[in-house]
Coordinates of all heavy atoms in Angstrom, one line a residue:
A344 N -22.3 10.5 -14.0 CA -22.6 9.1 -13.7 C -22.9 9.0 -12.3 O -22.4 9.7 -11.4 CB -21.4 8.3 -14.1
P345 N -23.8 8.0 -11.9 CA -24.2 7.8 -10.5 C -23.1 7.2 -9.7 O -22.1 6.7 -10.3 CB -25.4 6.8 -10.7 CG -25.1 6.1 -11.9 CD -24.5 7.2 -12.8
P346 N -23.2 7.2 -8.4 CA -22.2 6.6 -7.6 C -22.0 5.1 -7.9 O -22.9 4.5 -8.5 CB -22.7 6.7 -6.1 CG -23.7 7.9 -6.2 CD -24.3 7.8 -7.6
P347 N -20.8 4.5 -7.6 CA -20.6 3.1 -8.0 C -21.5 2.2 -7.2 O -21.9 2.5 -6.1 CB -19.1 2.9 -7.6 CG -18.9 4.0 -6.6 CD -19.7 5.2 -7.0
T348 N -21.8 1.1 -7.9 CA -22.6 0.0 -7.3 C -21.6 -1.0 -6.6 O -20.7 -1.4 -7.2 CB -23.4 -0.7 -8.3 OG1 -24.3 0.3 -8.9 CG2 -24.3 -1.8 -7.6
V349 N -21.8 -1.3 -5.4 CA -21.0 -2.2 -4.6 C -21.7 -3.5 -4.3 O -22.8 -3.4 -3.7 CB -20.4 -1.5 -3.3 CG1 -19.5 -2.5 -2.6 CG2 -19.7 -0.2 -3.7
V350 N -21.2 -4.6 -4.7 CA -21.8 -5.9 -4.5 C -20.8 -6.7 -3.7 O -19.7 -7.0 -4.2 CB -22.2 -6.6 -5.8 CG1 -22.9 -7.9 -5.5 CG2 -23.2 -5.7 -6.6
T351 N -21.1 -7.2 -2.6 CA -20.2 -8.0 -1.8 C -20.8 -9.4 -1.6 O -21.9 -9.6 -1.3 CB -20.0 -7.4 -0.4 OG1 -19.6 -6.1 -0.5 CG2 -19.0 -8.2 0.4
T352 N -19.9 -10.4 -1.9 CA -20.3 -11.8 -1.8 C -19.2 -12.6 -1.0 O -18.1 -12.2 -0.9 CB -20.4 -12.5 -3.2 OG1 -19.2 -12.3 -3.9 CG2 -21.6 -11.8 -4.0
P353 N -19.6 -13.7 -0.4 CA -18.6 -14.5 0.3 C -17.5 -15.0 -0.6 O -17.7 -15.3 -1.7 CB -19.4 -15.7 0.9 CG -20.8 -15.2 0.8 CD -20.9 -14.3 -0.4
P354 N -16.2 -15.0 -0.1 CA -15.1 -15.4 -0.9 C -15.2 -16.9 -1.2 O -15.6 -17.7 -0.3 CB -13.9 -15.1 -0.1 CG -14.4 -15.0 1.3 CD -15.8 -14.5 1.2
T355 N -14.8 -17.4 -2.3 CA -14.8 -18.8 -2.7 C -13.5 -19.2 -3.4 O -13.1 -18.5 -4.3 CB -16.0 -19.1 -3.6 OG1 -17.2 -18.6 -3.1 CG2 -16.1 -20.6 -3.9
T356 N -12.9 -20.2 -2.9 CA -11.6 -20.6 -3.5 C -11.9 -21.3 -4.8 O -12.8 -22.2 -4.9 CB -10.9 -21.6 -2.6 OG1 -10.6 -20.9 -1.4 CG2 -9.6 -22.1 -3.2
V357 N -11.2 -21.0 -5.9 CA -11.4 -21.5 -7.2 C -10.1 -21.9 -7.8 O -9.0 -21.5 -7.3 CB -12.2 -20.5 -8.1 CG1 -13.6 -20.3 -7.6 CG2 -11.4 -19.3 -8.3
P358 N -10.1 -22.6 -9.0 CA -8.8 -22.9 -9.6 C -8.1 -21.6 -10.1 O -8.7 -20.6 -10.3 CB -9.2 -23.8 -10.8 CG -10.5 -24.3 -10.4 CD -11.2 -23.3 -9.6

Side-chain angles (χ1 to χ4, degrees):
T348 301
V349 179
V350 182
T351 303
T352 56
T355 305
T356 302
V357 298

